[in-house]
């Protein structure tokens, strides 16, 4: 239903100034701005701060210290590793896989959706049928099954798999948008000038959907993070290295919920994940308001 | 596809004047229904085929792996191991691939998914029959609750826009929408279970108390609801926010429609406008999302059921993945997909009854 309701705004603006416009409007909506700040901070902190922190090493003398212990603000885990350092360093894989997977599925959706709408015919039929099939198969179940077949030991492989499975929703939305855009005069003109399919689709049509695509990209990031952390939590993705999902998995298996001293151990990745996803959802929602003026203040 | 859209546009402009006979409408509906059914069958067919080749062709082909381990562990001949594999996976590894495929499809049609690798003597069909109903029950109840509450909250938010109640509900909605169901499940276990002791987590494990005989008695119903409460709470709370937010947008849009202005101008009562004009039309687009959300929740059951120890299909899927029980894995994957296809079909049929335009446009 969103396909039909999101208005495609006037032509003539370039992709760059359009993007600046999105950022400007994002600042105007308080919730969107807060979301933007939360996400930016989390990305910066998890990307940069770990370089300045000591490596966490197991320490048998300091097992399961409660939060607030000297030297360990959030306590330690069942191997004596500092929870705060793990929490700060544990966002990298999660955020990277989330953004990378969303970039893959967004790119797939743009190419498949716009070509299906622009070329029509059998290309359209094949893309729509495939999208419908993939849309029906519950992705988590497919991921779990694939996880049993493949050794998903690198974050890039995981991102490829998650991104490669989650293109259908956006593909259908892009297709619907391009359908309406290709009837516009400026596209008609570009076609008459014989600028070539690729040029018309990617230079003339797509920049008009920039904010719409950005919004869906963020939804994609949210979904990828949901799936990724879930797979780690259940131990369905290999538990090498350290990230929020792996922290959750280890704390859950160790029964951290039953021990007051180790509550901070399981709750810190929980809080981090909620903050990240909340920031993304707030950004997405304010973008939706920008795209749909009826939702804005009258 | 594009052809269908174009004709429908012409159809809408020229209207029923072209073919006023009722039989034409009937034919149209039938054609839509046939198309929709065909789509559902096609989806199941593609997924079944995909699963077959996935199992046969992926690295560490489970059929060969099984045969190798049987030979290594029990020292039986290759033929005996292959015969066992044939029984387990409903695939005979010595046949040409195309024949294997046809056999596999024929077996599926008979509901034969083979036998479990981990627990010999148990058919995959039995596993599914034991676990699937509990997931359908808990997910179904949760979906109905969150859909209804979400719609009511969404309408309140739309009607009281820019008041404190709108801001409050929007914030709560965004928060709930952002929290993954397994994270909420962990929080429920920590706070409602361990800290406040509202629920006896050990007693609430499983889909019903062991030893209790399933019946239609009040005590049994009470028992299954006790066990399902926490999963239902987790599903309902994590989906109610999205329903409310979507309903808010939809209602706000509907409020701007001309027919609502006209209804107001005609002096119709507020309650009549609210239910008959705004609510009815605003809720329509949500039905098409109902099916998609069902697929999402059924998929999410693997997390929620594992955390609460609720013995539904997600729980058994987790066990199958962990134990590499390929036969069960494959069977559950197919059955979950088929349930989602059926749910999609039902939601589309419901949607088409509520909004006749969808039948004309032929878009699901």
């Amino acid at each position: 239903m969103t396909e039909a309701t999101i208005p495609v705004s006037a032509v003539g603006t370039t992709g760059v100034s359009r993007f600046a416009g999105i950022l400007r409007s994002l600042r105007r909506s308080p919730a969107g701005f807060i979301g933007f700040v939360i996400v930016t901070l989390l990305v910066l902190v998890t990307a940069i701060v770990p370089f300045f922190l000591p490596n966490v090493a197991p320490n048998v003398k300091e097992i399961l210290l409660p939060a607030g212990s000297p030297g360990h603000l959030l306590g330690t885990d069942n191997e004596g590793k500092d929870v705060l350092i793990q929490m700060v360093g544990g966002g990298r894989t999660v955020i990277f896989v989330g953004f990378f997977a969303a970039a893959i599925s967004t790119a797939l959706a743009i190419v498949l959706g716009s070509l299906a709408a622009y070329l029509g015919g059998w290309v359209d039929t094949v893309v729509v049928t495939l999208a419908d099939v993939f849309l029906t198969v519950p992705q988590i179940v497919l991921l779990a099954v694939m996880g049993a077949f493949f050794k998903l030991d690198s974050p890039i492989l995981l991102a490829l798999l998650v991104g490669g499975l989650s293109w259908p929703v956006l593909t259908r939305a892009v297709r619907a948008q391009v359908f309406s855009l290709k009837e516009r005069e400026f596209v008609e003109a570009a076609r008459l000038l014989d600028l070539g399919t690729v040029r018309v689709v990617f230079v003339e049509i797509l920049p008009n959907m920039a904010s719409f695509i950005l919004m869906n990209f963020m939804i994609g990031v949210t979904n990828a993070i949901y799936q990724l952390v879930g797979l780690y939590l259940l131990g369905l993705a290999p538990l090498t290295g350290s990230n929020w999902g792996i922290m959750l998995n280890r704390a859950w298996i160790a029964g951290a919920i039953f021990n007051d001293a180790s509550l901070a151990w399981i709750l810190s990745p929980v809080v981090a994940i909620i903050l990240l996803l909340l920031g993304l959802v707030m950004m997405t929602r304010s973008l939706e308001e920008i795209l749909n003026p009826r939702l804005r203040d009258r | 596809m594009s052809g269908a859209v174009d004709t429908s546009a012409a159809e809408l402009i020229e209207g029923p004047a072209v073919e006023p006979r009722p039989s034409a409408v009937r034919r149209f509906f039938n054609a839509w229904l046939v198309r929709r059914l065909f789509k559902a069958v096609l989806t199941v067919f593609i997924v079944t085929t995909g699963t077959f080749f996935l199992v046969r062709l992926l690295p560490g082909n489970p059929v060969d792996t099984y045969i190798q381990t049987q030979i290594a562990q029990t020292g039986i001949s290759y033929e005996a191991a292959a015969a066992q594999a044939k029984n387990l996976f409903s695939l005979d590894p010595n046949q040409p691939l195309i024949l294997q495929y046809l056999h596999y499809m024929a077996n599926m049609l008979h509901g034969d998914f083979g036998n479990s690798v981990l627990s010999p003597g148990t058919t995959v069909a039995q596993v599914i029959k034991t676990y699937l109903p509990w997931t359908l029950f808990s997910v179904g109840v949760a979906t109905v609750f969150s859909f209804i509450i979400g719609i009511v909250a969404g309408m309140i938010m739309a009607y009281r826009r820019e008041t404190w109640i709108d801001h409050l509900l929007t914030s709560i909605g965004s928060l709930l929408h952002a929290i993954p169901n397994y994270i909420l499940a962990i929080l429920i276990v920590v706070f409602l279970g361990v800290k406040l002791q509202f629920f006896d987590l050990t007693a609430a494990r499983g889909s019903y108390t062991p030893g209790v005989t399933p019946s239609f008695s009040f005590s049994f119903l009470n028992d299954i609801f006790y066990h399902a409460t926490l999963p239902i709470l987790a599903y309902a709370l994590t989906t109610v926010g999205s329903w409310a937010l979507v309903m808010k947008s939809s209602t706000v849009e509907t409020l701007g429609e001309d027919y609502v202005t006209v209804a107001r101008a005609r002096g119709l009562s507020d309650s009549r406008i609210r239910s008959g004009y705004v609510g009815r039309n605003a809720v329509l687009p949500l039905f098409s999302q109902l099916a998609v959300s069902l697929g999402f929740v059924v998929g999410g059951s693997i997390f929620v059921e594992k955390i609460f120890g609720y013995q539904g299909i997600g729980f058994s899927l987790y066990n199958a993945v962990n134990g590499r029980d390929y036969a069960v894995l494959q069977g559950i994957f197919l059955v979950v997909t088929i349930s989602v296809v059926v749910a999609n079909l039902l939601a589309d049929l419901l949607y088409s009854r509520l909004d006749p335009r969808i039948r004309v446009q032929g878009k699901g």
Side-chain angles (χ1 to χ4, degrees):
Chain A
M1 71 109 339
T2 35
E3 305 165 17
T5 53
I6 291 172
V8 179
S9 41
V11 229
T13 33
T14 63
V16 178
S17 76
R18 178 163 291 274
F19 187 70
I22 295 169
L23 285 184
R24 229 186 352 265
S25 329
L26 208 53
R27 269 207 310 275
R28 225 179 293 142
S29 133
F33 183 65
I34 297 171
F36 183 71
V37 170
I38 294 177
V39 173
T40 315
L41 275 181
L42 279 172
V43 170
L44 288 179
V45 166
T46 51
I48 298 168
V49 176
F51 287 113
F52 303 101
L53 291 175
N55 273 334
V56 280
N59 182 350
V60 275
K61 289 189 207 118
E62 296 186 328
I63 280 175
L64 288 180
L65 293 179
S69 308
H72 302 289
L73 200 58
L74 290 178
T76 56
D77 67 8
N78 63 346
E79 290 177 353
K81 294 194 272 191
D82 184 80
V83 170
L84 181 62
I85 297 179
Q86 287 189 61
M87 181 181 162
V88 172
R92 245 196 251 174
T93 343
V94 174
I95 293 173
F96 169 76
V97 172
F99 277 84
F100 191 43
I104 291 168
S105 63
T106 306
L108 275 174
I110 290 174
V111 172
L112 291 175
S114 50
L115 289 185
Y118 193 77
L119 297 176
W122 67 269
V123 181
D124 190 39
T125 313
V126 169
V127 169
V128 169
T129 311
L130 263 184
D132 280 348
V133 171
F134 271 89
L135 211 56
T136 324
V137 177
Q139 282 181 32
I140 282 296
V141 182
L142 189 55
L143 271 175
V145 173
M146 299 284 263
F149 285 118
F150 287 120
K151 281 198 186 70
L152 300 169
D153 41 12
S154 87
I156 295 182
L157 215 64
L158 254 177
L160 282 173
L161 191 59
V162 172
L165 292 178
S166 37
W167 52 270
V169 182
L170 183 54
T171 301
R172 287 182 52 150
V174 168
R175 177 179 164 272
Q177 292 265 295
V178 174
F179 255 131
S180 81
L181 275 170
K182 79 171 185 182
E183 304 301 330
R184 305 283 177 95
E185 289 90 348
F186 73 102
V187 178
E188 203 81 12
R191 253 193 298 188
L192 287 176
L193 284 172
D194 209 13
L195 292 177
T197 306
V198 174
R199 170 89 204 268
V200 174
V201 170
F202 292 96
V203 181
E204 304 295 333
I205 295 185
L206 281 180
N208 295 292
M209 304 162 53
S211 40
F212 172 72
I213 287 173
L214 184 68
M215 182 184 103
N216 280 282
F217 171 77
M218 284 188 302
I219 296 176
V221 177
T222 320
N223 285 337
I225 291 175
Y226 165 81
Q227 297 176 340
L228 173 80
V229 175
L231 289 180
Y232 276 119
L233 168 65
L234 291 196
L236 300 178
L239 302 172
T240 46
S242 164
N243 65 45
W244 294 335
I246 294 176
M247 277 177 86
L248 269 181
N249 169 281
R250 291 191 42 236
W252 178 260
I253 288 176
I257 51 164
F258 298 108
N259 184 351
D260 278 347
S262 53
L263 266 188
W265 175 25
I266 193 161
L267 288 185
S268 49
V270 162
V271 170
I273 292 161
I274 291 180
L275 263 183
L276 176 63
L277 292 181
L278 186 63
L280 284 166
V281 166
M282 284 163 89
M283 272 170 82
T284 315
R285 287 211 60 75
S286 69
L287 258 184
E288 197 185 340
E289 279 173 26
I290 296 165
L291 285 167
N292 194 346
R294 273 188 188 164
L295 285 176
R296 240 178 305 177
D297 307 345
R298 270 178 290 207
Chain B
M1 251 334 198
S2 60
V5 172
D6 292 340
T7 46
S8 79
E11 212 66 51
L12 282 178
I13 296 164
E14 289 167 25
V18 182
E19 277 189 82
R21 290 174 296 139
S23 68
V25 179
R26 183 121 212 124
R27 274 212 304 276
F28 236 119
F29 177 67
N30 286 345
W32 176 83
L33 188 67
V34 168
R35 261 207 315 278
R36 189 60 194 79
L37 279 172
F38 175 73
K39 190 178 138 193
V41 173
L42 182 73
T43 308
V44 172
F45 172 75
I46 292 178
V47 171
T48 317
T49 308
T51 316
F52 171 82
F53 287 104
L54 204 69
V55 172
R56 281 303 293 164
L57 300 175
L58 274 176
N61 172 355
V63 184
D64 293 340
T65 314
Y66 176 80
I67 294 175
Q68 297 306 330
T69 17
Q70 283 302 303
I71 293 172
Q73 281 175 358
T74 54
I76 53 171
S77 69
Y78 176 81
E79 281 71 29
Q84 275 184 20
K86 181 187 170 190
N87 193 21
L88 282 179
F89 298 102
S90 309
L91 316 171
D92 181 353
N94 295 320
Q95 278 179 337
L97 200 60
I98 182 73
L99 273 184
Q100 285 182 38
Y101 172 65
L102 290 177
H103 269 279
Y104 177 81
M105 290 306 250
N107 281 332
M108 288 294 148
L109 281 180
H110 292 120
D112 177 5
F113 297 95
N115 294 319
S116 161
V117 179
L118 281 187
S119 24
T122 319
T123 65
V124 175
Q126 279 169 338
V127 173
I128 291 164
K129 223 175 107 188
T130 321
Y131 294 111
L132 186 64
W134 299 111
T135 300
L136 295 182
F137 163 67
S138 56
V139 167
V141 172
T143 306
V144 170
F145 269 123
S146 72
F147 191 72
I148 293 173
I149 297 172
I151 281 170
V152 173
M155 282 197 81
I156 294 175
M157 278 148 73
Y159 268 92
R160 305 258 182 282
R161 275 205 327 142
E162 304 304 320
T163 62
W164 66 270
I165 191 152
D166 172 32
H167 290 300
L168 180 74
L169 289 180
T170 305
S171 312
I172 296 175
S174 296
L175 184 67
L176 288 176
H177 175 62
I179 299 181
N181 49 20
Y182 48 84
I183 295 278
L184 192 76
I186 290 178
L187 290 174
I188 288 175
V189 168
V190 170
F191 291 106
L192 296 186
V194 179
K195 288 279 162 199
L196 298 172
Q197 308 267 331
F198 281 167
F199 286 91
D200 184 348
L201 293 171
T202 333
R205 293 181 76 83
S207 40
Y208 56 91
T209 310
V212 175
T213 33
S215 60
F216 281 104
S217 66
F218 175 75
S219 63
F220 182 69
L221 271 179
N222 193 30
D223 190 54
I224 60 173
F225 267 106
Y226 182 73
H227 287 260
T229 303
L230 294 184
I232 289 176
L233 199 62
Y235 298 131
L237 280 177
T238 43
T239 47
V240 73
S242 1
W243 288 127
L245 295 173
V246 175
M247 185 62 189
K248 180 190 171 187
S249 327
S250 187
T251 309
V252 168
E253 253 166 51
T254 313
L255 281 172
E257 297 286 352
D258 292 342
Y259 58 76
V260 178
T261 318
V262 172
R264 286 220 177 91
R266 278 171 65 200
L268 295 177
S269 72
D270 276 350
S271 64
R272 172 116 182 255
I273 294 174
R274 216 172 8 240
S275 58
Y277 287 73
V278 180
R280 198 184 147 89
N281 288 299
V283 87
L284 275 178
L286 275 76
F287 276 99
S288 58
Q289 296 183 8
L290 194 61
V292 178
S293 85
L294 268 177
F296 192 71
V297 177
V298 170
S301 73
I302 185 171
F303 303 134
V304 172
E305 289 178 0
K306 178 69 181 107
I307 284 173
F308 291 124
Y310 187 74
Q311 294 180 354
I313 203 78
F315 189 82
S316 53
L317 178 70
Y318 172 81
N319 289 338
V321 169
N322 248 13
R324 299 286 186 275
D325 196 336
Y326 293 97
V328 175
L329 213 68
Q330 199 183 321
I332 291 179
F333 178 66
L334 272 178
V335 165
V336 169
T337 307
I338 291 170
S339 350
V340 176
V341 171
V342 172
N344 269 309
L345 189 63
L346 290 179
D348 271 6
L349 289 178
L350 183 66
Y351 190 22
S352 83
R353 287 221 48 89
L354 295 169
D355 186 354
R357 279 172 304 180
I358 208 75
R359 294 199 295 265
V360 185
Q361 286 179 350
K363 280 179 73 179

